[in-house]
Amino acid sequence: APHHLKSQCFLEMNTVYRSRLLASAYCRGRAMAPVAARQSHFLNLVPSPVRYASTVRRRRGTSGPVQRSTNEDEDRSRTQTEIQDLKVFQQEADKLLVKLERALRPMEKHNDVFIITHTPRNHYMDGSLTLELKPEDGTYRLEVNDESRRIHMTTALSGQFHYKYASTGEWADELDGHSLEGMLVRDLIRQCNGLPDL
């Protein structure tokens, strides 16, 4: 065959081959498009772990919702130096129970059931303060523990917390540094009439 016919035939075959390659690539692109779209949609629905990493805070006790926390709470707890001296702890714990009993007494006349029981330190226990409300409202209890240098407080709404005596002169939660008195008042005003005289 003449040379020019061979060249023309080669060009035609090359053109057909390229067309088939383009068509195949186009079909593959069309087939993959829905998959890519689904993957993109799925990725958009998955929350970023970094965004929510610092928001979860563990709630202690058997009642109450899971709380949220911030780095500021953790920083405040770290800056509150704990007083470890046993005599100082005992004196301040006893003073706190007396203070809270006196603060709660005026509320008795404003609530149908408001029974305060203060058990001072003795040979059998380190001291406690209990507040009984109506059965459906529950009980508040504070217990002193000399061994751990803690006051354990359980409220009817928020569960149990453990408080240390800090160098700032306040009873602060061992995890996030919130105030014992603040937590007690917050829960009482949601369940009772009146306000503790603190």
Side-chain angles (χ1 to χ4, degrees), residues 54-58 67-74 176:
S54 63
T55 62
V56 178
R57 167 183 166 190
R58 183 169 62 90
Q67 296 291 300
R68 302 293 173 181
S69 182
T70 62
N71 291 333
E72 287 79 4
D73 290 333
E74 298 171 0
D176 63 21

Side-chain angles (χ1 to χ4, degrees), residues 61-112:
T62 57
S63 62
V66 173
Q67 296 291 300
R68 302 293 173 181
S69 182
T70 62
N71 291 333
E72 287 79 4
D73 290 333
E74 298 171 0
D75 292 340
R76 183 170 67 250
S77 180
R78 283 193 292 267
T79 58
Q80 293 172 324
T81 305
E82 178 181 352
I83 301 299
Q84 285 286 346
D85 184 271
L86 179 59
K87 289 186 178 181
V88 173
F89 171 82
Q90 291 175 333
Q91 291 173 357
E92 295 301 327
D94 294 346
K95 286 168 56 177
L96 177 68
L97 296 187
V98 172
K99 174 184 177 182
L100 292 179
E101 180 187 9
R102 291 174 178 172
L104 294 172
R105 286 297 176 191
M107 297 178 64
E108 287 179 315
K109 60 184 178 182
H110 301 295
N111 295 273
D112 294 334

Side-chain angles (χ1 to χ4, degrees), residues 146-173:
D146 289 348
E147 184 177 356
S148 64
R149 310 292 198 276
R150 292 289 186 272
I151 287 183
H152 307 302
M153 181 174 77
T154 304
T155 78
L157 292 180
S158 298
Q160 189 177 72
F161 298 89
H162 309 288
Y163 296 91
K164 62 185 179 182
Y165 184 66
S167 57
T168 56
E170 64 177 342
W171 291 92
D173 178 74

